Amino acid sequence: MGILSLFQRKQKNTQVVLKSNTSLERAADSILSQRGKQIVDGLNKLTASTGTPMDKLHGGAKRMAQMSNIGGGSKATGGGGVDEGMKAML
């Protein structure tokens, strides 16, 4: 099971809990939605920040490239890198 499918299942479970109309819960739901889009967009990128196609990467190299993509790309290219990717996942 891939990272994307785990995230999507977790997001569905969380959305069920956040059905109340309080402003704090609406704010949390908005943040979760924004982060969810960031994660999905990062996982759907076809290349790493090095230009290497994701389907050519495996194991740790692929996971790190995915984290970097989630973080907006490498720090060298103006993104947040693996650090931001990890923050988004947490």
Side-chain angles (χ1 to χ4, degrees):
M1 184 178 300
I3 292 174
L4 182 56
S5 61
L6 286 173
F7 169 75
Q8 288 171 330
R9 190 173 65 217
K10 175 68 175 168
Q11 185 180 28
K12 287 178 187 174
N13 292 340
T14 304
Q15 287 175 344
V16 171
V17 174
L18 296 175
K19 290 297 183 186
S20 175
N21 287 329
T22 67
S23 61
L24 180 60
E25 288 174 341
R26 275 187 272 156
D29 193 35
S30 174
I31 291 168
L32 177 63
S33 178
Q34 290 170 358
R35 284 296 193 175
K37 182 177 178 346
Q38 178 183 352
I39 292 167
V40 170
D41 289 349
L43 292 174
N44 286 329
K45 288 192 177 182
L46 300 178
T47 61
S49 60
T50 60
T52 304
M54 293 301 284
D55 62 356
K56 300 288 184 193
L57 297 172
H58 302 284
K62 185 171 187 169
R63 296 291 180 238
M64 296 306 278
Q66 288 173 322
M67 284 298 124
S68 180
N69 282 345
I70 291 168
S74 71
K75 290 180 179 181
T77 61
V82 173
D83 293 340
E84 287 300 315
M86 292 299 286
K87 286 178 188 176
M89 293 297 289
L90 297 174

